[in-house]
Amino acid sequence: MTAAGLIFSNIHDQSIPEMTRMRTMASIPYGCRYRLIDFALSNMVNSGVTNVGVIAHYNYQSLLDHIGTGKDWDLARRSGGIKILPPYITAYENRAAGKLYENRLEAVLGAINFINRCNADYLILSDCDVILNIDLKKVLEEHIQSGAYMTLVGKELTAGESYETAVNVLTADESGRLTDLACYKPEGEAVCVSTNIMIVGRSDLQNIVSESIARGYKSFYQDIIAKQMASKLIRVHKFEGWCTHISSLEGYFQSSMDLLKSEVRDSLFNAEDRRIYTKIRNSAPSHYSNRAEVKNSLVADGCVIDGTVENCILFRGVRVGKGTVLKNCILLQDTYVGDNVNLNCVITDKNAVIKDGRNLSGHETMPFFIGKDQTV
Amino acid sequence: MFKKKECVAMLLAGGQGSRLYALTQKTAKPSVSYGGKYRIIDFPLSNCINSGIDTVGVLTQYQPLRLNEYIGNGLPWDLDRTFGGVKILPPYQGFGGADWYKGTANAIWQNMEFINQYDPEYVIILSGDHIYKMDYAKMLAYHKQKGADCTIAVIEVPMEEASRFGIMSTTEDGTIFKFSEKPKNPDSNKASMGIYIFNKNKLESYLREDSKDPDSANDFGKNIIPAMLANKEKMVAYPFEGYWKDVGTISSLWEANMDLLGDRPVLTLNDETWRIYSRHGAEAPQFIGEDATVINSSITAGCEILGEVRNSVLGPGVRVGKGAIVADSVIMANVTIEDGATVWYSILDENVTIGKNATVGESRDTATEVAVIGADVVIAPGSVTPAGAMISEN
């Protein structure tokens, strides 16, 4: 039984506009050296799925640059491998020029050629706003054994956790069968939220697509899943490890800071035989000077640290000058911080420059964001 | 011709590096780790690709498994090519019998067919023993400009150390008139770096002659270069300036690693203009704990530092436990230093485990020699390993 992967690279772009102005959700940098798509891709590769389509919508240059031939994920293959699926617009189709898909169903429709040709028995669908390290092989085996029509991967929230955006809340009976589906903002109750990772048979997905066209369906959840769950077995697989949704800049900040907890790193990075792969940049090891004082921080290779760094996430090639104090900051690739700078709760995008002597502070509920290539 | 290349590189990587003792017990010298995430062979390979040389034959003999696996298809160095690229060349059984590589010259002679496939004008001979960044394209241009038959890269060394090297005596225009291997009384301080560019036809004819001589050591330094000098071939020295270090001994390997540290490191690898490539695992970012101290050190991805690290170079995936101290040391990939252990002035090879509260080596103030722990060794908790110790698995 074989499975192919289908990754939606843009589907939640609007939730973090500061960072997706110039890129897809999939190519948002996260965790010192990764981009969000690395988690979805690595989960597939680590589960033996080596035929993966990535649906791109707009702004996907950075995504193309990141993925390249796919060799960093061992997906540069003659047979299968990674395929970027750009918007599929027919020149003579009877709709406004340049109109792109608007929802998950239309996105799948644009990838119908990939689905028709991929020759796998199952498709594993995944978004890029969910960060987790999951053994999909196990989920697939369970799916096959149960003979389910569809399996959704859910994550049970701990009580007290809340969401800023509406999510699909899954209710399942004891056997794991989906019994109710609702879309709302959970506020503190211990509910099971969909990770938008789902497994469905290829022919079933083909049928879903043709039926959606015929009936004008718009929503994968409301029009397909909600309508089918009574007549067909739709299972919920509860994921036990650490998992986060990126749904806002504050959420991005919090999810990044979570990486400073060892149990989070163990779940995400240290799973046996399931590494997270990313594009290799050949940075040298990081250099800590005689004056460096680094505490409770996650640092990528290629950094040069000459100051004080506490509770920070430093991406590749970040420079921290003399006498500089960084607290609770996330500095993306090649950020340059001069001497005697004080930063607190600041997120800088790629290539940002903070000149000598600057003082900037945000708050953890509202981190201060400095855009790509900007100089302060 | 479709596969023609102007210059082909031949990288001699078969040496054992016996003076690295425990570090080369399980692997050949070129695959010994350096600078955290690199291996010695990354330097000549990266120099090749950065110099526009995309065809490299790597001659292996001693313990080639790790080296073969490391080089693989050459992808990390962009040497996975349809035409050219990196090729591993082990000794083989031929029609006339089978032979190990008897010497450096013999190794090249046995692979003349590999070189001739590409019909090159020039052959550059490299070794996998040195740490340096060098543009071979400049050396090749110099070779052409001088109209030489053979160009040898030289570096000026302090006169008092000259007797440790192969010394080239040159006229003012750089022509070599004398070569002396480790002379007692050197008359020049131009040391051979072991990097030669030959006109291919000249090289082939000298190797052919050499192969017929049963008394020859089949060595470039001992036989080929002296024979060419005796025949008054045009031989020139190419002066190289910059960092160059033979890492053939424990102390020089340790020093070369320390050269990466300090406010103004003698050697910088964080160099966008001359990247050194290496094969990567998929390590997580490095984590520096709440109570950790990291000072004047070079740390690689996958490390988790909860203790104290000073003046040290750490490879990927190293764990330094709570209260552990690592000072003046070179720690290679995936070493675990458990809580409370102390590592002074040492080189720990890959996958070593230092048990809780164990002590390895002595403070650099008192120790005279580096302690070396070979790959996969487990040091018992609470034990004391003296300075200068040399411990390997068997």
Side-chain angles (χ1 to χ4, degrees), chain A residues 76-366:
Chain A
R77 309 247 175 150
R78 290 254 184 248
S79 159
I82 196 162
K83 285 185 190 70
I84 306 261
L85 310 169
Y88 185 80
I89 303 165
T90 311
Y92 308 106
E93 207 167 345
N94 188 18
R95 56 176 172 176
K99 189 170 180 295
L100 297 166
Y101 51 77
E102 285 173 339
N103 55 54
R104 191 183 300 271
L105 275 173
E106 282 185 45
V108 175
L109 177 60
I112 196 67
N113 278 337
F114 172 81
I115 297 167
N116 289 344
R117 287 185 195 160
C118 72
N119 226 347
D121 302 313
Y122 297 94
L123 275 146
I124 302 179
L125 277 51
S126 177
D127 290 356
C128 287
D129 63 329
V130 184
I131 301 164
L132 76 171
N133 186 336
I134 184 174
D135 184 0
L136 291 172
K137 198 183 246 170
K138 207 172 120 207
V139 184
L140 180 64
E141 277 164 11
E142 281 179 23
H143 175 81
I144 295 169
Q145 251 170 26
S146 68
Y149 174 69
M150 195 184 283
T151 295
L152 299 172
V153 176
K155 169 70 188 167
E156 210 151 71
L157 298 182
T158 45
E161 238 180 309
S162 65
Y163 264 82
E164 304 105 83
T165 49
V167 285
N168 288 298
V169 176
L170 310 172
T171 313
D173 65 16
E174 273 168 19
S175 69
R177 183 187 182 119
L178 182 72
T179 53
D180 189 27
L181 170 73
C183 183
Y184 62 93
K185 280 189 211 178
E187 282 171 13
E189 52 287 32
V191 292
C192 183
V193 172
S194 171
T195 61
N196 293 330
I197 294 174
M198 44 186 115
I199 298 180
V200 58
R202 186 165 68 106
S203 54
D204 290 331
L205 188 62
Q206 287 167 319
N207 290 339
I208 287 172
V209 169
S210 48
E211 191 163 319
S212 304
I213 299 170
R215 298 180 191 269
Y217 289 160
K218 294 283 180 216
S219 163
F220 208 103
Y221 279 91
Q222 299 307 324
D223 292 332
I224 311 292
I225 298 172
K227 283 184 184 162
Q228 306 269 30
M229 68 187 175
S231 59
K232 288 177 176 144
L233 172 60
I234 297 182
R235 283 180 63 254
V236 176
H237 173 99
K238 284 188 181 159
F239 174 68
E240 299 293 340
W242 182 79
C243 166
T244 188
H245 281 250
I246 304 283
S247 55
S248 65
L249 194 63
E250 301 82 70
Y252 175 81
F253 184 81
Q254 274 314 328
S255 300
S256 297
M257 289 302 164
D258 280 348
L259 292 174
L260 297 176
K261 299 174 189 155
S262 72
E263 67 273 17
V264 171
R265 289 197 309 279
D266 280 346
S267 172
L268 191 60
F269 297 133
N270 301 337
E272 188 91 9
D273 296 329
R274 294 204 313 271
R275 296 292 181 105
I276 306 297
Y277 307 96
T278 188
K279 185 183 173 189
I280 302 282
R281 205 186 161 216
N282 281 293
S283 315
S286 280
H287 190 268
Y288 296 72
S289 82
N290 278 311
R291 292 165 293 273
E293 219 170 287
V294 183
K295 306 276 178 208
N296 195 37
S297 293
L298 211 51
V299 180
D301 280 357
C303 294
V304 178
I305 303 173
D306 208 1
T308 300
V309 177
E310 274 177 40
N311 310 325
C312 289
I313 311 281
L314 305 187
F315 282 69
R316 294 184 277 201
V318 167
R319 308 251 162 175
V320 181
K322 245 180 277 185
T324 287
V325 179
L326 305 179
K327 287 185 177 168
N328 314 308
C329 291
I330 301 171
L331 307 186
L332 267 54
Q333 201 168 304
D334 296 319
T335 294
Y336 180 96
V337 184
D339 298 343
N340 304 313
V341 172
N342 276 296
L343 300 182
N344 180 31
C345 294
V346 171
I347 301 176
T348 62
D349 207 330
K350 280 174 78 175
N351 299 318
V353 175
I354 317 288
K355 291 195 169 170
D356 293 357
R358 301 288 190 263
N359 288 299
L360 294 167
S361 183
H363 185 266
E364 52 193 72
T365 55
M366 187 165 285

Side-chain angles (χ1 to χ4, degrees), chain A residues 287-288 290, chain B residues 34-36 131 243 245 247 250-269 295-298 309-314 326-331 343-348 364 370:
Chain A
H287 190 268
Y288 296 72
N290 278 311
Chain B
Y34 167 78
I131 302 295
Y243 186 89
K245 192 142 196 154
V247 285
I250 295 294
S251 61
S252 65
L253 180 66
W254 183 86
E255 277 166 28
N257 275 286
M258 293 301 134
D259 286 343
L260 297 167
L261 304 179
D263 271 355
R264 295 195 182 281
V266 203
L267 175 65
T268 314
L269 298 178
I295 283 181
N296 190 35
S297 294
S298 178
V309 177
R310 288 175 189 275
N311 312 325
S312 296
V313 175
L314 272 59
V326 177
D328 303 306
S329 294
V330 177
I331 314 291
V343 177
W344 305 99
Y345 197 39
S346 300
I347 299 180
L348 310 189
R364 215 186 143 199
V370 184

